[in-house]
Amino acid sequence: MSNLENLYRQVIMDHYKNPRNKGLKDSEEYYSVHLKNPTCGDDLTIQIKVEDNKITEVYHDGTGCSISMSAASVMSETIMGMNLEEAKKVINNYVEMVKGEEFDEEMFMGDAIVYQGVSQFPARFKCATIAWKALDKAISNHENCSHRHDEEKIEVK
Amino acid sequence: MKVNDIMDINKIRKDFYVLNNNDLAYLDNAASTLKPKQVIDAVTYYYEKLGVNIHRGVYRLSYEATDLYEKARQKVAELLNCQFEEAVFTRGASNALNLIALSYGMNHIEEGDEIITSELEHHSSMLPWQNVARAKKAKLVYVPLNEENKITVENFKKVLSNKTKVVALNYISNAMGYMTPVEEIIKLAHEKNAIVILDAAQAVPHIPVNVKALDCDFLAFSGHKMCGPTGIGVLYGKYNLLKEMEPIEFGGDMIDYVGLNEVTYKDPPYKFETGTPIIASAIGLGRAIDYIKAIGFKDIMKHERMLRDELIDKMSQIKGITIHNPNTDTGIISFNINGVHPHDAASVFDEENVAIRAGHHCAQPLMHCLNEIATIRASVYFYNTREDINRLVKAINKAKAFFENFM
């Protein structure tokens, strides 16, 4: 498989064309985080609902490239039903994976593993992680009981 | 016609380490150009043989460094056809454009005045004036773009008024490659006693620019877009304007007399060059100007336009792509592969070692006009070849085919 085929796996393009859990809910029950990458125009909002320390609902909406949009869909499926501690471990593990560093393959359930190919395209790291960064922020906002609605920009690196 | 009919391209390409060391079709010249070894050598010479500060050093090394720095300024003055004193070294075009707005703008613009700019601008041309307009309660007025998103004299006349104090426009658009009809715009603006600032970052590297013939009041460009080092640029200003303008930075080298409660400044250009300047990069820019002049703007323009025509011709035959500026005046071509996000396409180009730019090109208002989040931009320079064009066309076809698989 070429680097490119490895980056754009069928499953990624499937999540891009047919995103799961897309569309936001108009309710105060959710913690939402809106992230923008001003350099490329990616614009993503994610919402989570936490009940008994467990993520019971995840939604996302936004515009951007196939990597960033599909990753939001995959993230929503991956972490649905996880408790917050598990979710935080998965986020870290995912970030290590797309950076090309050592990670725990066993930890992923579902499609997140296919983003391994991103490590060969460092310029796409931010695309692959924007949804997961938003999730991380939403979890910490929940834990600190702050910001039900958060707006942030990804810093240019 | 062959590329080699215009210039000895293979000989030129040998001067560029990056081209020799990489199997690369470099088509991101509007963002930055590559640097030939002559420029790198000039920078290295300063660091290896001199390495000292300029102007006040009373010893030989400092004298030679000063001489090289000021000779570079002389080269800039000859390039633009301005006086030596009218060429201010800055960190780049953005820095120069900000200097004009912060000094001239903040001291001359009053409530109710109008500043004309356009949606075709690079953010660096437009945002300094948005800032002045906000601070001074002045009005920022946008030249309506025509159906091709060009600035026309006719549309400029629609927004020019007795309230117009400043006109800040690009000479060549970085995102679309259009040449603004600046000669007539400058004449019209001067009839209303407005000053004209040209963002010439995409012009000076590619076409002969004569500020006296244009009669523009200010003009800015960057060294790194014309084979020079990064971190160096030029602000040209008419001497009488520079003379009465306040400096925006205060400190070393820019002063004449300093007392405890009063100060007098040097004359231009020095009152705007506070602190130790970017000596090595200025010297490198001087060498870059020599290098470009030796090739000659006539041949550069001819070569770039030949490559542009070939690229547009080949791209027009590919179905499913949108060229936003088929009538581009220069070697800048902006396009989208329908249904494929530019960043997805860019990763395919990257795999093919074709360097292009995907994004908003620091021109977000224009992206709204085009109704795109981002575009892909290819931009040529004199060292590009037909082979580079073929590689880009191949990469476009590959990206199209690759993503069509998933549709």
Side-chain angles (χ1 to χ4, degrees):
Chain A
M1 195 165 9
S2 75
N3 280 342
L4 210 55
E5 283 161 345
N6 201 25
L7 176 66
Y8 291 100
R9 301 281 287 272
Q10 194 73 41
V11 54
I12 290 179
M13 295 311 282
D14 180 52
H15 275 275
Y16 179 49
K17 302 281 172 197
N18 309 296
R20 334 291 196 250
N21 305 312
K22 188 156 180 166
L24 302 177
K25 304 291 164 196
D26 187 14
S27 159
E28 287 299 311
E29 292 175 309
Y30 299 89
Y31 277 85
S32 76
V33 173
H34 180 196
L35 279 188
K36 270 177 159 177
N37 183 347
T39 49
C40 71
D42 278 355
D43 187 310
L44 177 77
T45 305
I46 73 131
Q47 282 183 324
I48 58 169
K49 187 172 175 182
V50 182
E51 289 169 304
D52 296 336
N53 207 39
K54 221 174 177 190
I55 300 170
T56 54
E57 288 178 51
V58 192
Y59 298 102
H60 62 95
D61 204 1
T63 53
C65 64
S66 59
I67 302 295
S68 63
M69 292 297 108
S70 64
S73 171
V74 169
M75 178 278 288
S76 72
E77 283 197 324
T78 309
I79 59 128
M80 190 87 79
M82 278 185 188
N83 71 43
L84 297 181
E85 288 313 307
E86 281 174 327
K88 282 194 275 188
K89 276 185 196 154
V90 169
I91 294 169
N92 288 335
N93 198 40
Y94 177 88
V95 171
E96 294 297 302
M97 176 184 75
V98 294
K99 269 191 200 161
E101 286 168 14
E102 264 187 50
F103 71 102
D104 181 0
E105 280 190 45
E106 312 272 302
M107 194 185 280
F108 290 125
M109 319 268 253
D111 293 335
I113 191 87
V114 300
Y115 288 86
Q116 228 180 325
V118 173
S119 64
Q120 296 303 313
F121 292 82
R124 306 303 296 278
F125 173 75
K126 273 188 269 182
C127 317
T129 51
I130 183 168
W132 294 83
K133 281 191 177 144
L135 171 67
D136 190 42
K137 186 78 186 153
I139 291 174
S140 64
N141 285 351
H142 167 79
E143 289 179 331
N144 302 327
C145 298
S146 66
H147 299 90
R148 274 197 179 268
H149 302 282
D150 209 349
E151 296 272 340
E152 279 200 32
K153 278 180 198 148
I154 296 187
E155 289 308 315
V156 184
K157 275 181 197 157
Chain B
M1 186 171 61
K2 285 181 190 157
V3 165
N4 295 356
D5 294 344
I6 296 174
M7 55 177 78
D8 190 347
I9 204 93
N10 291 328
K11 185 166 167 278
I12 288 171
R13 286 173 72 88
K14 286 204 176 79
D15 292 334
F16 291 84
Y17 294 116
V18 173
L19 294 176
N20 297 331
N21 297 337
N22 297 281
D23 171 34
L24 178 72
Y26 185 75
L27 293 165
D28 194 18
N29 294 289
S32 198
T33 57
L34 304 175
K35 287 81 176 132
K37 63 173 187 245
Q38 290 83 346
V39 168
I40 297 166
D41 288 348
V43 172
T44 306
Y45 178 84
Y46 165 76
Y47 282 121
E48 281 187 359
K49 308 286 185 198
L50 305 170
V52 298
N53 215 330
I54 57 169
H55 288 156
R56 290 165 314 284
V58 189
Y59 47 92
R60 277 156 206 269
L61 289 184
S62 179
Y63 180 81
E64 188 185 342
T66 306
D67 188 47
L68 287 176
Y69 180 75
E70 296 301 347
K71 273 186 178 144
R73 191 191 312 278
Q74 185 56 36
K75 287 171 188 182
V76 170
E78 283 163 21
L79 180 75
L80 299 178
N81 188 32
C82 69
Q83 297 167 43
F84 179 85
E85 294 79 12
E86 293 175 318
V88 181
F89 282 126
T90 66
R91 282 189 286 113
S94 297
N95 184 220
L97 294 165
N98 275 280
L99 194 165
I100 305 162
L102 287 176
S103 174
Y104 186 92
M106 286 299 190
N107 289 302
H108 287 83
I109 296 295
E110 292 170 3
E111 187 170 346
D113 286 347
E114 294 186 355
I115 300 159
I116 295 180
T117 185
S118 88
E119 289 159 291
L120 197 53
E121 299 312 301
H122 189 287
H123 296 158
S124 294
S125 170
M126 172 268 247
L127 284 182
W129 293 101
Q130 195 188 76
N131 181 42
V132 171
R134 206 180 298 116
K136 298 288 171 184
K137 297 194 172 89
K139 196 175 161 199
L140 205 55
V141 182
Y142 291 88
V143 185
L145 302 179
N146 78 357
E147 66 284 356
E148 283 185 281
N149 292 303
K150 282 186 182 179
I151 297 166
T152 63
V153 173
E154 201 184 21
N155 284 352
F156 176 74
K157 282 181 188 164
K158 289 180 192 163
V159 290
L160 182 67
S161 80
N162 292 329
K163 290 183 184 165
T164 308
K165 292 289 180 298
V166 166
V167 176
L169 292 173
N170 68 82
Y171 195 160
I172 291 175
S173 154
N174 78 304
M176 299 291 264
Y178 295 144
M179 279 185 75
T180 305
V182 291
E183 289 87 351
E184 200 153 346
I185 283 174
I186 291 164
K187 269 185 213 136
L188 290 165
H190 285 168
E191 283 170 18
K192 300 283 185 193
N193 293 319
I195 61 142
V196 179
I197 300 148
L198 294 182
D199 167 9
Q202 301 296 339
V204 174
H206 302 274
I207 63 170
V209 171
N210 180 336
V211 292
K212 290 292 168 240
L214 286 171
D215 198 28
C216 56
D217 300 281
F218 295 102
L219 178 143
F221 69 91
S222 291
H224 71 97
K225 292 186 201 289
M226 53 185 299
C227 298
T230 55
I232 188 80
V234 170
L235 161 65
Y236 157 77
K238 283 181 178 166
Y239 190 78
N240 61 333
L241 292 174
L242 292 177
K243 176 94 177 152
E244 57 102 19
M245 270 161 59
E246 288 292 316
I248 58 165
E249 289 182 333
F250 305 85
D253 213 21
M254 48 82 74
I255 51 84
D256 181 22
Y257 167 79
V258 178
L260 293 184
N261 291 300
E262 68 280 305
V263 60
T264 54
Y265 309 121
K266 279 184 181 158
D267 284 334
Y270 304 109
K271 75 169 168 182
F272 299 108
E273 295 180 5
T274 309
T276 297
I278 319 126
I279 307 167
S281 294
I283 294 169
L285 173 60
R287 187 64 189 88
I289 291 171
D290 290 343
Y291 187 88
I292 289 171
K293 276 182 150 178
I295 295 170
F297 282 108
K298 207 174 138 202
D299 282 353
I300 291 174
M301 286 166 68
K302 213 164 139 190
H303 179 72
E304 289 179 1
R305 278 156 205 209
M306 185 270 297
L307 293 175
R308 167 201 65 189
D309 291 347
E310 187 151 326
L311 180 56
I312 293 206
D313 181 48
K314 288 192 167 151
M315 284 175 66
S316 307
Q317 294 165 31
I318 308 173
K319 282 196 184 117
I321 68 170
T322 304
I323 305 174
H324 297 294
N325 57 344
N327 296 318
T328 175
D329 298 309
T330 60
I332 295 174
I333 289 129
S334 188
F335 64 98
N336 283 81
I337 302 175
N338 302 346
V340 180
H341 191 283
H343 282 105
D344 289 325
S347 283
V348 180
F349 294 160
D350 186 26
E351 276 296 279
E352 296 289 303
N353 288 325
V354 175
I356 47 82
R357 191 142 290 244
H360 52 61
H361 318 298
C362 296
Q364 286 184 17
L366 177 70
M367 295 298 117
H368 298 147
C369 297
L370 295 173
N371 214 5
E372 300 279 2
I373 296 167
T375 75
I376 304 167
R377 179 186 68 185
S379 50
V380 306
Y381 208 21
F382 56 79
Y383 43 64
N384 286 118
T385 62
R386 288 175 143 175
E387 174 61 19
D388 294 335
I389 299 299
N390 290 338
R391 287 177 66 174
L392 172 61
V393 171
K394 195 177 146 220
I396 295 171
N397 279 315
K398 186 176 171 187
K400 226 173 76 82
F402 185 78
F403 289 104
E404 269 166 8
N405 278 336
F406 300 109
M407 303 258 178

